[in-house]
Amino acid sequence: MGGVWGLIALAALTACSGHDAGRPAPTPVQQASGDAGDKTVMFIEIEGTLAELAALKQIDGLDLERGASDIGGGRHKVGAMVTRKGALLDIQARGLKTRIVMDEAEAARRMQAEREEIDRATGSAATQQTPPKPKSD
Amino acid sequence: VPWPTDRFPSAQEIYDRLRELAANDRYDEIVKVFDFETVAGKGGPTQGNEGPRTTNYARIGPQASGTGRVTVVFTGGVHAREWSPPTLLVNFIEKLAEAYAAGSSITIGGATTTAAQVRNIVEKVDLFIAPLINADGYEWSRNPAGERMWRKNRRPPPASVPPHCGTCGGADPHRFGVDINRNFDVIWQFLSPTGTDGTFSVAGVLGNMSCNPCEFEVYVGESAASERETQNVVFLLNNNPQYYIDVHMKGRKIYHSWGTDDNRPIPGPTPALQTTTPRDGFGGVTKDDINEDFLREIRDTIGNRMADATGLGGGARNYDVVLSSSLGAFSGASDDYAMSRNLPTVPGARQPIRSYTVECGITFLDTFRGEFQTTQREVHALLLSLLSYAVSPAGLRAADLVPTPAPTPPPPPRPTKSCNCQIAPGTPGEDDL
């Protein structure tokens, strides 16, 4: 987490520390980084134990599905949307196996195609000519 | 505007299509469309809203009141960015109504719902389908000025944020909206009023729930069922269904309750959810009680049946049946709320609603001409399998709509065989083969 969002998260931690020092900040705001260059949209699958996968919820910019599929041997698989580029590295740094279901380029291409379909349907001349930067976080 | 067959429709096209189906003479007797209370539309044009918006739901089946019928509710479009469920639910209404009107079967892949089953479903089920609950959010995810990955509705931010929830700046574009699927009145107060651990541990719900409006995905709102969209789902559940499915995206999974903690199967009746017991999420010491037979029914009997249907008659299923809390506990979701409504189970009282969240599709960006077509077939097959179960003798019995048959008397003992056979202990005998 960097930039302004890092400061906001820090402020949240500070605000909470007064009444409840020593605890983690309640429900920290999971936001993407304010650094536009760090934003992305991609879809992945991750394998691990349930405890390993549940711990991934601490990673900023990772939207984990609600539950994981049992793939045997104590291992589970869960899908996720990545909205911060560094999140993928954070997962891999934990030694977990990942598979990219849809990469950033394909996601951007599909969002642009959707945009153009909507513009065509609504008769809008505002079809963007250049792929938009993914806005999601 | 014709119903689009090459792209995902707008919210208005979805509701127009519902009305068009209801106006079709072929379906006149079995499809009716009703208005929900209007959703907010408070954000003004710059927030992608168009003023108060009327949203609709359909009722399929005999429109006159009757007895002995099963009530089923399907909802979709609770989350804005999930574009497939609203369209496939509208198409499901047409598929079912057309098959009934034509007296024909429905074949999806290698799986067939016979004409007799279709007739049985339409005539014995009061089926309520609300394909698009969160129209404001859906339109925001389609708006060039909006966000494709928007999930919440578009409620304006609250005037203040409780200190323990962190900060939420007035310029933050994510300060709008509430996650409808964390806004239901089931252990909605997940932290203590001061923000210390309450019903849930603070760390345990990280990423699953938040009391900060600026949280992009899982802000629970200012109070339980504060959102009109939530209230509209509750309105449908007030019809006392026996079965409820909330269709979401993504991941090809069928989630069953509880999402609030691990299940503890118990032999006795399912008690009401304890709202003050601290929960430790998956794998912890505390558990949420659930009658063991009921758990087997929702997970193994119905859940597996629906999952098998997603194989489209071809064998391997494409959806897994998964406990909602398998990666951590949360509350305020529609499925847990629905199932909690009729608890505790006591003799003579209404049965708990068999509730599911179905996560269909592969990514939020499934293409209309590509993955969506497969998703639609899978979910239609899944919904038909549930409806077929609901009107089966087992389903009707489970819903307390027919009395449980008297136990079958045991067969008379077979005459003892007399032979000189030598059967070694532990080897199968003739009757075991």
Side-chain angles (χ1 to χ4, degrees):
Chain A
M1 182 180 293
V4 65
W5 293 115
L7 292 173
I8 288 175
L10 183 61
L13 282 165
T14 306
C16 292
S17 62
H19 67 81
D20 198 22
R23 287 185 181 277
T27 59
V29 181
Q30 292 219 319
Q31 298 271 10
S33 163
D35 176 3
D38 198 31
K39 286 187 176 182
T40 188
V41 172
M42 69 171 79
F43 296 90
I44 64 173
E45 281 181 349
I46 314 160
E47 283 184 28
T49 65
L50 278 179
E52 288 169 338
L53 297 177
L56 297 177
K57 293 191 171 180
Q58 299 163 358
I59 295 178
D60 176 42
L62 184 68
D63 175 18
L64 221 54
E65 289 170 3
R66 184 190 282 195
S69 295
D70 187 345
I71 55 175
R75 312 278 297 168
H76 288 74
K77 182 173 69 177
V78 67
M81 179 171 68
V82 175
T83 56
R84 182 181 62 87
K85 288 177 181 173
L88 186 56
L89 294 175
D90 290 347
I91 300 165
Q92 290 165 341
R94 298 179 183 215
L96 299 181
K97 184 177 171 186
T98 58
R99 181 177 79 84
I100 294 178
V101 176
M102 182 186 294
D103 65 18
E104 182 180 32
E106 176 64 8
R109 189 193 68 73
R110 289 189 180 209
M111 284 191 279
Q112 174 65 8
E114 288 176 349
R115 177 85 271 120
E116 290 171 357
E117 278 180 350
I118 291 171
D119 286 345
R120 271 197 300 276
T122 57
S124 166
T127 303
Q128 297 175 40
Q129 297 303 311
T130 54
K133 289 179 182 175
K135 293 177 179 176
S136 165
D137 55 6
Chain B
V1 177
W3 179 238
T5 55
D6 59 349
R7 62 174 172 81
F8 291 104
S10 68
Q12 194 56 51
E13 287 172 323
I14 287 169
Y15 301 126
D16 286 348
R17 181 61 169 176
L18 286 184
R19 283 187 285 270
E20 190 176 284
L21 291 174
N24 187 325
D25 288 344
R26 286 176 65 76
Y27 318 139
D28 187 44
E29 296 302 313
I30 52 169
V31 179
K32 299 289 182 192
V33 171
F34 302 89
D35 292 349
F36 278 128
E37 294 292 321
T38 55
V39 294
K42 290 177 181 172
T46 58
Q47 293 303 328
N49 293 329
E50 300 154 1
R53 187 196 304 273
T54 299
T55 64
N56 302 104
Y57 66 95
R59 177 175 173 170
I60 300 96
Q63 300 297 318
S65 60
T67 57
R69 292 207 295 264
V70 185
T71 301
V72 180
V73 172
F74 298 151
T75 54
V78 164
H79 287 147
R81 65 194 176 198
E82 300 167 8
W83 289 7
S84 295
T87 299
L88 67 82
L89 285 173
V90 172
N91 289 339
F92 183 77
I93 296 169
E94 181 177 15
K95 181 175 285 184
L96 189 60
E98 176 57 32
Y100 179 78
S104 62
S105 60
I106 298 174
T107 297
I108 304 173
T112 295
T113 305
T114 67
Q117 287 175 308
V118 168
R119 189 170 59 250
N120 213 18
I121 288 169
V122 171
E123 294 179 356
K124 289 188 176 172
V125 176
D126 285 327
L127 176 58
F128 295 85
I129 300 182
L132 178 54
I133 293 294
N134 178 11
D136 289 348
Y138 182 83
E139 281 304 294
W140 186 244
S141 76
R142 291 168 40 86
N143 189 323
E147 290 204 44
R148 174 63 182 86
M149 293 302 155
W150 193 255
R151 168 175 159 119
K152 301 182 285 184
N153 70 357
R154 292 299 298 167
R155 164 184 278 275
S160 62
V161 180
H164 67 267
C165 298
T167 57
C168 181
D172 187 333
H174 298 152
R175 67 194 185 281
F176 291 85
V178 170
D179 182 355
I180 303 304
N181 212 24
R182 296 293 182 277
N183 187 239
F184 286 87
D185 191 7
V186 53
I187 317 181
W188 177 88
Q189 184 75 53
F190 68 103
L191 295 178
S192 74
T194 59
T196 54
D197 288 356
T199 305
F200 290 92
S201 75
V202 171
V205 295
L206 175 61
N208 288 349
M209 312 178 73
S210 174
C211 55
N212 190 318
C214 283
E215 216 286 334
F216 185 53
E217 304 209 324
V218 288
Y219 171 51
V220 301
E222 287 190 89
S223 61
S226 59
E227 303 309 295
R228 180 56 60 75
E229 294 87 347
T230 312
Q231 295 162 15
N232 285 342
V233 175
V234 172
F235 170 79
L236 287 184
L237 295 175
N238 287 343
N239 288 289
N240 296 312
Q242 283 82 26
Y243 302 90
Y244 171 52
I245 294 180
D246 192 12
V247 186
H248 284 252
M249 291 182 85
K250 60 181 177 39
R252 292 173 128 187
K253 293 185 184 70
I254 299 164
Y255 290 114
H256 67 85
S257 294
W258 297 111
T260 49
D261 210 329
D262 295 331
N263 287 329
R264 181 173 70 173
I266 57 172
T270 303
L273 270 180
Q274 296 301 309
T275 56
T276 55
T277 304
R279 286 168 168 77
D280 50 15
F282 83 96
V285 176
T286 63
K287 310 282 180 187
D288 278 330
D289 291 340
I290 185 169
N291 173 261
E292 58 194 13
D293 293 333
F294 186 77
L295 175 61
R296 271 195 291 273
E297 187 202 0
I298 62 172
R299 181 190 60 200
D300 303 335
T301 305
I302 305 175
N304 283 335
R305 178 189 177 103
M306 292 194 292
D308 288 343
T310 63
L312 305 180
R317 60 174 62 170
N318 290 321
Y319 285 53
D320 291 330
V321 182
V322 176
L323 175 65
S324 269
S325 59
S326 72
L327 281 184
F330 59 95
S331 61
S334 62
D335 49 4
D336 277 351
Y337 166 74
M339 208 174 97
S340 72
R341 281 171 56 106
N342 297 338
L343 297 178
T345 50
V346 293
R350 224 175 268 286
Q351 287 281 305
I353 302 172
R354 290 140 178 91
S355 308
Y356 299 90
T357 294
V358 169
E359 300 277 359
C360 70
I362 299 165
T363 77
F364 299 130
L365 297 172
D366 289 357
T367 59
F368 190 92
R369 297 179 188 82
E371 296 93 353
F372 171 71
Q373 300 303 321
T374 301
T375 295
Q376 179 165 250
R377 285 197 299 274
E378 290 169 344
V379 177
H380 285 184
L382 181 158
L383 298 178
L384 283 169
S385 77
L386 177 89
L387 292 169
S388 298
Y389 175 81
V391 296
S392 71
L396 293 170
R397 254 196 320 278
D400 280 348
L401 290 174
V402 294
T404 304
T408 307
R414 294 182 178 188
T416 305
K417 292 177 181 175
S418 58
C419 70
N420 295 322
C421 322
Q422 295 292 318
I423 301 176
T427 58
E430 182 185 348
D431 289 347
D432 298 322
L433 297 175

